[in-house]
Amino acid sequence: QVQLAESGGGLVQVGGSLRLSCAASGIIASSYSMGWYRQTPGKQRELVALITNRGVTNYADSVKGRFTISRDNAKNTVYLQMNSLIPEDTAVYYCNLNTINIYWGQGTQVTVSS
């Protein structure tokens, strides 16, 4: 079955960087759009960044210029490079794969301390 395995979260200071990875299995991920979402307690999950199967990217206004989404089709993996992190970026980050179904990873915690 399709599985998404995220890694790379953790604790970082303001202004620091992290790179999240999401490895897909059970599917050829390069054929589909993939994205990163985040969620904080009491709030809805929100889109952070999206990359289509053709490599077109889209970002939330709050992360433009700081985050970069990319994919390595040979590794069936999508990445989120996060720079200039701020406390408002603290959340659980989820990987997403869109086919006729929607798949989610288990989430990885990112905490930015001031």
Side-chain angles (χ1 to χ4, degrees):
Q1 73 270 26
V2 177
Q3 291 187 324
L4 302 176
E6 299 127 333
S7 61
L11 174 64
V12 64
Q13 291 188 333
V14 169
S17 298
L18 284 174
R19 189 175 83 151
L20 305 183
S21 299
C22 173
S25 59
I27 194 167
I28 300 174
S30 60
S31 299
Y32 305 101
S33 294
M34 295 188 72
W36 287 97
Y37 289 70
R38 65 187 181 188
Q39 189 171 22
T40 55
K43 293 189 177 181
Q44 286 191 328
R45 196 170 294 186
E46 63 174 3
L47 175 67
V48 175
L50 181 73
I51 186 165
T52 71
N53 60 326
R54 297 189 176 191
V56 177
T57 59
N58 188 33
Y59 297 93
D61 288 342
S62 59
V63 307
K64 282 180 181 177
R66 300 188 299 119
F67 290 11
T68 303
I69 189 170
S70 62
R71 65 194 306 166
D72 184 336
N73 291 331
K75 295 183 178 180
N76 228 23
T77 298
V78 65
Y79 304 98
L80 185 68
Q81 178 67 43
M82 305 186 294
N83 298 328
S84 302
L85 284 160
I86 59 177
E88 289 75 15
D89 295 321
T90 295
V92 178
Y93 284 71
Y94 296 91
C95 178
N96 165 276
L97 171 66
N98 282 301
T99 67
I100 191 171
N101 299 309
I102 299 175
Y103 299 96
W104 295 96
Q106 80 284 358
T108 186
Q109 176 70 46
V110 171
T111 303
V112 184
S113 65
S114 56

